């Protein structure tokens, strides 16, 4: 059966990400993280998204940079909640006293910096030095140097996704990723998703983070061509520096350009979804959609159940919030009840 997109629901901006044994879904006002606990029950948190008063968040191009930073912060928080909830209750209890808000913020900042450093090293520095080792001169072959560097960067990215897709835990996350897309696709096509109709929809979605990452890599290839040209024709136009100095200069500028790359990529992603039915636009984002064949898997019924649960809680206006403290309190109650039952059985 062919379904038609519901423009009003698309404007709601429902999207999300897969987490450990669960799914985060958000719209413009709230986000929900639903996670399956070791007891097989599903629990969740729900928070209101504070209004972003930063004027940059509403400006074309700059909003992509602000949104990227916000999503990294939210992604870390939801991942930590899912890891604690999907793990053993004792782990959550131990962290209750250890992790003050300041410590959590420091850990989040450190984690983001480590992730950024890893991405810079693997996807910017490594391809750059590989092309230098091959022997292509950047100054005299700007286009071929950067095209080869871009090709190596894409190969590393695809190889990375393929390798981690064989890990059992990551495969499970990719299945949740597929369930998230199926639920959002069904909802955006005007349905109230359920276990019966959700499998009519694909695990591919044009507004996915995987497509965004492909756009980031593609935009960086084009933008970094201008970086090379600028460095060797303006900064070092009057003298020829040692090769290592030129290389480091280009790399530093490339790293500083990352916010610009993410801003451009964000706008392209929004255009791609808005004009998805235009053949040229579909062709432009097709590689990103194909990459989702790696980062999404056909979900199991229990994973679809979590996705549906997350969407229902997000759309349930009677639930304004459910905090981590409330989740922790329920876990402690369950633990106390289980201990009491065990004592009764032993007696």
């Amino acid at each position: 059966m062919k379904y038609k997109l519901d423009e009003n629901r698309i404007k709601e901006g429902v999207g999300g990400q897969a987490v450990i044994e669960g799914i985060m879904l958000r719209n413009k006002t709230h986000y929900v993280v639903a996670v399956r606990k070791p007891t097989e029950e599903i629990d969740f948190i729900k928070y209101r998204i504070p209004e972003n008063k930063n004027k940059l968040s509403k400006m074309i191009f700059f909003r992509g940079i602000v949104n990227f930073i916000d999503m990294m912060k939210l992604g870390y928080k939801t991942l930590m909640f899912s890891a604690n909830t999907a793990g053993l209750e004792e782990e959550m209890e131990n962290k209750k006293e250890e992790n003050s808000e300041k410590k959590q913020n420091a850990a989040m900042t450190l984690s983001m910096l480590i992730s950024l450093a890893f991405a810079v090293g693997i996807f910017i520095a490594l391809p750059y030095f590989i092309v230098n080792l091959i022997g292509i001169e950047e100054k005299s072959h700007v286009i071929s140097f950067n095209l080869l560097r871009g090709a190596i960067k894409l190969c590393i990215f695809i190889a990375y996704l393929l390798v981690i897709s064989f890990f059992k835990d990551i495969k499970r996350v990719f299945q949740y990723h597929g369930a998230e897309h199926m639920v959002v696709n069904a909802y955006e096509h005007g349905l109230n998703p359920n276990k019966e109709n959700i499998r009519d929809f694909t695990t591919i979605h044009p507004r996915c983070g995987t497509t965004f990452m492909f756009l980031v890599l593609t935009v960086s290839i084009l933008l970094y061509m201008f970086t090379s040209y600028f460095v060797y024709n303006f900064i070092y136009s009057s003298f020829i520096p040692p090769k290592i100095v030129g290389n480091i200069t280009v790399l530093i500028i490339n790293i500083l350009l990352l916010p610009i790359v993410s801003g451009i990529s964000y706008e392209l992603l929004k255009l791609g979804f808005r004009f998805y039915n235009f053949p040229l636009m579909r062709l432009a984002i097709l590689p990103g959609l194909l990459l989702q064949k790696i980062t999404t898997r056909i979900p199991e019924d229990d994973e679809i159940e979590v996705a549906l649960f997350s969407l229902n809680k997000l759309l349930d206006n009677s639930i304004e919030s459910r905090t981590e403290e409330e989740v922790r309190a329920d876990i402690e109650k369950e633990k106390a009840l289980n201990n009491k039952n065990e004592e009764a059985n032993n007696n």
Side-chain angles (χ1 to χ4, degrees), residues 51-105:
E51 182 183 356
N52 197 330
K53 297 182 179 180
N54 188 339
K55 293 181 179 179
L56 293 178
S57 66
K58 295 178 175 61
M59 295 173 62
I60 292 177
F61 173 73
F62 290 103
R63 62 187 178 183
I65 301 172
V66 175
N67 185 70
F68 179 70
I69 295 172
D70 288 345
M71 283 304 298
M72 284 189 68
K73 291 179 181 178
L74 181 58
Y76 176 82
K77 288 180 180 178
T78 58
L79 197 61
M80 287 300 296
F81 169 75
S82 67
N84 291 336
T85 307
L88 297 176
E89 289 86 351
E90 286 81 358
E91 182 181 354
M92 218 172 180
E93 187 176 343
N94 292 335
K95 291 190 175 182
K96 180 175 66 173
E97 297 180 358
E98 294 176 5
N99 289 341
S100 65
E101 186 175 350
K102 288 184 178 179
K103 286 183 178 180
Q104 289 177 348
N105 289 336

Side-chain angles (χ1 to χ4, degrees), residues 57 70 121 211 216 218 223 237 269 335:
S57 66
D70 288 345
T211 303
V216 166
T218 305
L223 197 59
S237 59
L269 186 67
K335 186 178 178 181

Side-chain angles (χ1 to χ4, degrees), residues 128-144:
Y128 189 85
F129 286 116
I130 289 176
V131 181
N132 273 289
L133 287 174
I134 292 173
I136 297 178
E137 187 67 33
E138 183 177 12
K139 181 179 180 181
S140 53
H141 300 90
V142 171
I143 294 178
S144 58

